[in-house]
Amino acid sequence: MTDLGQDRPHSARMYDYYLGGKTNYAVDREAADAVIQRFPAILTAARVNRAFMHRAVHFLAAERGVRQFLDIGTGIPTAPNLHEVVQAVDARSRVAYVDTDPIVLAYADSLLTSSREGETSYVEASVTDPEAVIEAVREDGCLSFDEPVALTLHALLHFVPDDQDAYGVVDRLLDELPPGSYLSLSHCTGDFAPESWQAIVDLYKGRGTPAQVRSHDEVLRFFERLDLVRPGLVVAHRWRPEQASGPSLVTDADASLYAGVAVKK
């Protein structure tokens, strides 16, 4: 029988709770409520992140012509999902989702409803083992590493602290992608509310989830091999904002999330 981890909180299910979802357990809600009590704007930050994802992948599909997406740290299905956004631009788009949470696997059928012309798949692997990710995606066959791929790491790397070599993980994944590929990334920061975010990191760690927020310069380092598209690395709600594309009247401290998109030359 699959262990669904119902006895311990999971970051993906906590994020689902922040977004108002129902795919979470009491243990997740208890941990998430502790975070909300310390930093109520975490609910806004989650929505800002989701809105950034929608804008970023639509931009890559509609304006940069990307037709392959590798989404690591997928999380609980929340419509519209990434494949729904990009396949609305081109129904032939292909998306490989990667996650380790057994609940995500249990709900994978919700993610795999591709257009007839395109393809979606779900691969079980951990971002902390990029070799396993690459091997699993190659074996799955949904994507071809001979053509440009958009690697999306949204609200993920703050769960990969330095002792798990977050920068090396991203470098290894990028090594596998051909020129013309993209990285879309969002990452929580303590730059605007350091005491609150240190408390949040401690809450996650205390419940068994490694966590580390990073400064603007530290997040920028993930892009050092790439060319950032305008407007560069900014607070997520400032990245190519569109009317009604996310919560309104958001401050930088509310969002506390850096985001950027860059191309591999």
Side-chain angles (χ1 to χ4, degrees):
M1 178 179 293
T2 300
D3 177 13
L4 297 182
Q6 295 154 295
D7 60 337
R8 56 192 182 276
H10 191 284
S11 57
R13 301 194 299 264
M14 291 171 66
Y15 181 63
D16 175 71
Y17 180 68
Y18 298 146
L19 290 173
K22 304 298 183 184
T23 311
N24 48 72
Y25 299 122
V27 67
D28 305 306
R29 296 189 287 274
E30 182 276 329
D33 282 338
V35 173
I36 294 167
Q37 183 176 11
R38 190 65 183 85
F39 186 65
I42 193 70
L43 301 175
T44 299
R47 292 167 58 204
V48 165
N49 179 71
R50 192 73 184 173
F52 163 73
M53 182 276 282
H54 291 154
R55 296 195 308 274
V57 300
H58 185 273
F59 164 79
L60 289 170
E63 299 191 32
R64 295 300 173 99
V66 180
R67 295 295 177 262
Q68 298 193 114
F69 293 80
L70 174 56
D71 182 62
I72 303 179
T74 298
I76 306 299
T78 304
N81 294 292
L82 188 153
H83 73 277
E84 293 168 316
V85 175
V86 300
Q87 288 182 348
V89 175
D90 189 326
R92 298 168 296 176
S93 298
R94 303 192 300 274
V95 179
Y97 291 109
V98 180
D99 209 299
T100 57
D101 181 14
I103 287 290
V104 176
L105 179 60
Y107 280 82
D109 285 346
S110 297
L111 286 173
L112 300 182
T113 309
S114 174
S115 64
R116 288 182 297 175
E117 300 89 343
E119 184 177 353
T120 65
S121 66
Y122 176 84
V123 172
E124 189 172 7
S126 171
V127 69
T128 58
D129 187 352
E131 297 295 342
V133 171
I134 293 164
E135 180 180 355
V137 173
R138 284 193 178 278
E139 183 176 344
D140 174 73
C142 176
L143 306 183
S144 168
F145 289 145
D146 294 328
E147 302 172 11
V149 174
L151 170 64
T152 61
L153 304 172
H154 296 140
L156 174 65
L157 292 173
H158 41 250
F159 297 119
V160 186
D162 287 346
D163 61 9
Q164 294 183 355
D165 192 20
Y167 297 109
V169 164
V170 175
D171 281 345
R172 179 64 189 95
L173 292 169
L174 290 171
D175 282 343
E176 205 67 22
L177 306 184
S181 294
Y182 286 82
L183 171 64
S184 178
L185 181 151
S186 60
H187 194 300
C188 287
T189 183
D191 281 357
F192 307 104
E195 292 184 3
S196 294
W197 278 96
Q198 185 56 56
I200 290 171
V201 167
D202 292 343
L203 283 167
Y204 273 93
K205 286 182 177 179
R207 288 163 171 78
T209 299
Q212 178 181 341
V213 292
R214 293 182 170 94
S215 68
H216 183 274
D217 286 348
E218 289 170 327
V219 178
L220 188 62
R221 184 178 162 192
F222 288 112
F223 295 97
E224 64 182 7
R225 300 171 51 190
L226 310 173
D227 290 343
L228 280 158
V229 303
R230 289 184 296 176
L233 181 67
V234 295
V235 184
H237 66 291
R238 301 185 184 278
W239 195 90
R240 296 177 178 255
E242 300 171 358
Q243 188 173 5
S245 70
S248 59
L249 302 177
V250 176
T251 68
D252 290 353
D254 289 339
S256 287
L257 187 84
Y258 288 120
V261 175
V263 63
K264 179 178 178 180
K265 293 295 189 180

